[in-house]
């Protein structure tokens, strides 16, 4: 059983999100939730929510298929943070000048399943 969840247009930079994503890649889903719950980085919260959503999607898919479901059997098969659109804003500076402020966004994707993927792989084909 495999399930997927996405959070799009998350207001965290992809670089910061990837730091968290790399920590939990390949772990059991329940273990990843425990790690993310106590991670001090701000990007850990949206990543944790997406992992919880993927687990819930797997539970729903198992119920629909009439299969047995156990959270402990789920592994994070693929998890990645892609770059979303960048919002461009203007910040006033001295002597009538202006600087551009780039507010970056991320698309966070999690795929959970009951088979473990090799730890070194990103979990998707590019």
């Amino acid at each position: 059983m495999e399930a997927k969840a996405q959070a799009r247009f998350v207001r965290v930079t992809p670089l910061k999100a990837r730091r968290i994503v790399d920590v939990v890649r390949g772990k059991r889903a329940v273990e990843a939730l425990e790690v993310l719950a106590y991670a001090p980085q701000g990007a850990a919260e949206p990543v944790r929510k997406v992992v919880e959503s993927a687990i819930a999607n797997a539970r729903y898919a198992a119920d629909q298929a009439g299969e047995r479901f156990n959270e402990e059997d789920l592994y994070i098969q693929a998890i990645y943070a892609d770059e979303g659109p960048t919002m461009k804003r203007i910040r006033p500076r001295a002597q009538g000048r202006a600087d551009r402020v780039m507010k970056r966004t991320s698309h966070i994707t999690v795929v959970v399943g009951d088979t473990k993927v090799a730890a070194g792989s990103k979990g998707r084909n590019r």
Side-chain angles (χ1 to χ4, degrees):
M1 181 60 57
E2 192 174 279
K4 178 180 174 180
Q6 271 188 323
R8 301 188 64 208
F9 309 105
V10 178
R11 271 290 292 125
V12 65
T13 66
L15 202 66
K16 292 177 182 178
R18 286 183 192 125
R19 285 179 54 201
I20 297 299
V21 161
D22 291 341
V23 171
V24 297
R25 182 175 288 120
K27 291 190 185 310
R28 286 190 9 250
V30 176
E31 182 184 341
L33 288 177
E34 292 170 1
V35 170
L36 292 169
Y38 296 104
Q41 292 85 0
E45 183 182 354
V47 173
R48 181 182 52 81
K49 287 183 177 182
V50 179
V51 172
E52 286 175 347
S53 179
I55 293 171
N57 291 345
R59 178 180 292 117
Y60 179 79
D63 287 345
Q64 291 296 312
E67 298 176 4
R68 107 185 146 76
F69 178 79
N70 186 5
E71 263 183 30
E72 300 293 326
D73 296 340
L74 290 179
Y75 286 91
I76 296 182
Q77 291 184 334
I79 182 169
Y80 47 92
D82 291 329
E83 190 169 345
T86 300
M87 298 184 287
K88 295 158 183 87
R89 300 293 182 259
I90 300 299
R91 181 181 192 96
R93 304 304 289 183
Q95 298 180 357
R97 294 184 176 94
D99 281 348
R100 181 173 260 177
V101 177
M102 311 291 258
K103 295 185 178 252
R104 300 185 187 278
T105 62
S106 301
H107 300 320
I108 301 168
T109 306
V110 177
V111 178
V112 295
D114 45 13
T115 57
K116 188 171 184 174
V117 177
S121 71
K122 294 277 186 186
R124 66 177 185 164
N125 298 327
R126 287 193 174 210

